Amino acid sequence: MNRPGPQHATATPRHASERRPGRGSTTKRTVWIVVSIVLIAGLGCAAWLATRVLIVKNDLEAAQTLVDQLQAQATSFDLDALAGTSDQLQTRSAGAVAGADDPIWRAAEYIPVLGENLSAVRIVAGSIDDIVQQVAVPAIDTLSTFDLGARDPVTGGFDLTPLDKAKTILASATTVFGDAKQKMSTIDTANTIGPVKAAVEKFDGLLTTADTAITQMTPLVDVAGNVLGQNGPRSYLLAFQNNAESTALGGSAAAYSLMSIDNGSIAMVGQANSGNFVEGVPVDVPVDQSALDLYGSYLVDHINTSTSRPDFPTAASIMRAFWLRDQGSSVDGVISIDPLALARILEATGPITLSSGDVLSSDNAVSLLVNGVYMRYPRNEDAPLADAFFQAAASEIINKITTGDFDIKTMTRAITEGINHGSIMMWSASPDEQALLDGTPLQGTLPKTNDEKTVIGVYYRDTSASKIDYYLQTSTRTTTDVCTAPANPTFSTSVTLHSNLTVDEADALPQYVMSRDWLGEKFRTEIFVYGPIGASVSDARVDVQGLETIVTGRTDDLGRPVASFAAYLAPGETTTVTATFIGAPGAYGPLEVRGTPMINTTENVIEPPSCG
């Protein structure tokens, strides 16, 4: 019997399951277990992430609400409420950043669509927390412990320690806000959902507003330290402008006080009025020929009309030169203030009893200082007495301020409004220090470009040698097609002057309030309309004649076109003039009209109000 050889050997084949019992079923179970674990873990992570997102969302929304609340409380100087809000804000901002700063959150940022939203939320949360912890909290701590009544134990002057703290906080803020803006620039809101996009845009807006405020505050704090003698003794000339005799910057500057300041200690060490200066002989100060052509020699040979040009550095350098030449001492800078600002300040200090026995308050300051005093001293030869009264009143108000005995909230508002309305200005003889004031309202200048704001300036100068502007009403109306014709826009400004006087009232006015005899019962006011940078005067006309109104010129000054007029008004008369400018191609910011701070507030109307 034949036996198959090895090569012929055969065997009944087995099913794979029979070859390795249990292997296939085990593998399937393993795969399903792994999938299940992944699904469970994924669902768990998703649930965790969803919960974390909700927590971060709530903390962020609460933090942004608290930021708004904080701003309102800081503005109103509600220090007790500030501290409580600060504590809440710290908790909320820290909670938001902790929720978003997690490995799982970071990993989820790589998921398409979802990731960009998570990244945006994390950046916003982190930026808010940095601002809160490094800027807001230190600032609130400093503000909450600020005491105006505190005095330096050595000098007896103001305690300047808060200034040092403010400088440190502002330096930190500059860095923190810069970092936040850089991080925010990496967010692509095109790939974010509505609520996230809205949060990013809101925070961007807050950053821009706060960054602008920090940029403006930093030089002011630096200058404040120098002005208060923190780095050595300083002397400042305090000039008092009288809006009843208008000039571009406010009014005739006929009263002066010399202030000595050393490490927060302030003292009045000298006084003078326009009668103490040599008139008719110009001081040796470099002034643009365009200014001399426009305002005449009175700009530099009479100290009281040094404020004729709408440029405080020009006026201040002239005043400083007069003081040096005729009073024999140099000053480190000039500060200007008018009765409109003094009235606001009196809201903070409360009424002040003057050495004359008069009680000066926010209600009567303007009327008494620019009109009532001339009823008391009615003759032209009484002018020095009127100037001395004004000078003494202003000095006593300043002395009251130096005591620190006033409501800080109201004082802050008063000073801010005074600066913004052109009633408080400052100039430093130090070029470096003056440069720190560039772009701030304190400097009393017009912008050098149209980029951020397109400014038209309307200014007045009384040339009647009177104090008649207490009775003058002014208004302007500006129209433009800059929204529809940005290549060569047209700007047209009409200016109306109206005398509120009646003939009977004019007859009863004191001699010093009335104009010089050569004018009789009529008053001469010059009008200067400054157009936008780079523009040119295309038309200057008289629309309503009044008694007599003329176009006096078309020229350029301060890099701007200027149309000038002279209006003669009798009691009850009205005149209207119009200046039109053609702008050059370029960028134009929002239109704004500025002008002389008048006793009767000028109404400025712009049409259209914006290009929105």
Side-chain angles (χ1 to χ4, degrees), residues 277-575:
F277 298 91
V278 177
E279 295 184 340
V281 180
V283 289
D284 186 16
V285 173
V287 175
D288 297 334
Q289 186 61 45
S290 60
L292 297 173
D293 292 342
L294 198 55
Y295 299 103
S297 64
Y298 265 71
L299 181 66
V300 291
D301 62 23
H302 284 70
I303 192 170
N304 59 320
T305 51
S306 59
T307 52
S308 297
R309 190 191 200 196
D311 185 72
F312 190 63
T314 299
S317 60
I318 293 170
M319 293 176 193
R320 179 174 184 258
F322 264 106
W323 190 269
L324 175 61
R325 188 191 70 183
D326 298 341
Q327 300 300 313
S329 66
S330 183
V331 296
D332 296 301
V334 180
I335 300 170
S336 172
I337 193 166
D338 66 18
L340 307 179
L342 292 176
R344 294 186 177 100
I345 289 170
L346 282 163
E347 293 180 9
T349 64
I352 295 176
T353 301
L354 306 180
S355 55
S356 63
D358 295 278
V359 177
L360 201 62
S361 70
S362 59
D363 294 328
N364 70 5
V366 173
S367 60
L368 177 58
L369 294 174
V370 302
N371 187 254
V373 67
Y374 303 119
M375 307 300 177
R376 185 175 304 179
Y377 305 111
R379 301 174 303 165
N380 287 336
E381 53 265 38
D382 292 332
L385 296 175
D387 288 342
F389 181 88
F390 184 39
Q391 187 179 63
S395 294
E396 290 184 48
I397 293 173
I398 299 301
N399 287 334
K400 177 70 172 179
I401 293 173
T402 61
T403 66
D405 182 19
F406 53 78
D407 179 70
I408 187 172
K409 169 187 170 182
T410 309
M411 181 62 75
T412 301
R413 187 188 70 235
I415 297 296
T416 301
E417 289 179 355
I419 292 172
N420 290 337
H421 286 82
S423 291
I424 299 174
M425 293 173 285
M426 180 182 174
W427 172 83
S428 173
S430 164
D432 291 341
E433 198 169 284
Q434 178 66 8
L436 293 174
L437 299 174
D438 281 345
T440 67
L442 260 179
Q443 201 171 37
T445 60
L446 287 164
K448 293 179 173 57
T449 71
N450 302 317
D451 296 343
E452 291 188 12
K453 291 181 180 179
T454 303
V455 175
I456 290 176
V458 180
Y459 302 97
Y460 310 98
R461 182 168 73 163
D462 178 278
T463 51
S464 306
S466 71
K467 298 294 184 288
I468 204 64
D469 291 328
Y470 183 77
Y471 305 95
L472 185 66
Q473 190 71 53
T474 56
S475 63
T476 73
R477 180 177 178 272
T478 300
T479 59
T480 179
D481 60 2
V482 69
C483 300
T484 56
N488 289 106
T490 298
F491 304 89
S492 186
T493 298
S494 294
V495 185
T496 298
L497 281 69
H498 173 71
S499 171
N500 290 330
L501 271 175
T502 66
V503 173
D504 290 341
E505 287 172 333
D507 289 339
L509 286 177
Q511 181 185 17
Y512 194 58
V513 175
M514 292 291 290
S515 60
R516 300 295 189 189
D517 293 338
W518 63 276
L519 278 176
E521 288 190 359
K522 61 181 178 181
F523 312 97
R524 186 178 190 271
T525 301
E526 293 178 332
I527 307 160
F528 305 92
V529 185
Y530 281 69
I533 291 288
S536 59
V537 180
S538 64
D539 185 35
R541 67 177 188 271
V542 177
D543 302 310
V544 178
Q545 187 65 239
L547 185 63
E548 180 187 2
T549 303
I550 58 174
V551 178
T552 56
R554 304 181 185 188
T555 186
D556 292 281
D557 184 44
L558 297 171
R560 294 171 176 268
V562 186
S564 57
F565 309 83
Y568 293 85
L569 289 178
E573 292 265 347
T574 297
T575 188

Side-chain angles (χ1 to χ4, degrees), residues 190-215:
N191 293 321
T192 57
I193 60 175
V196 173
K197 181 178 180 180
V200 169
E201 290 176 346
K202 181 177 180 179
F203 185 56
D204 257 336
L206 287 172
L207 273 180
T208 300
T209 301
D211 193 47
T212 300
I214 289 166
T215 301

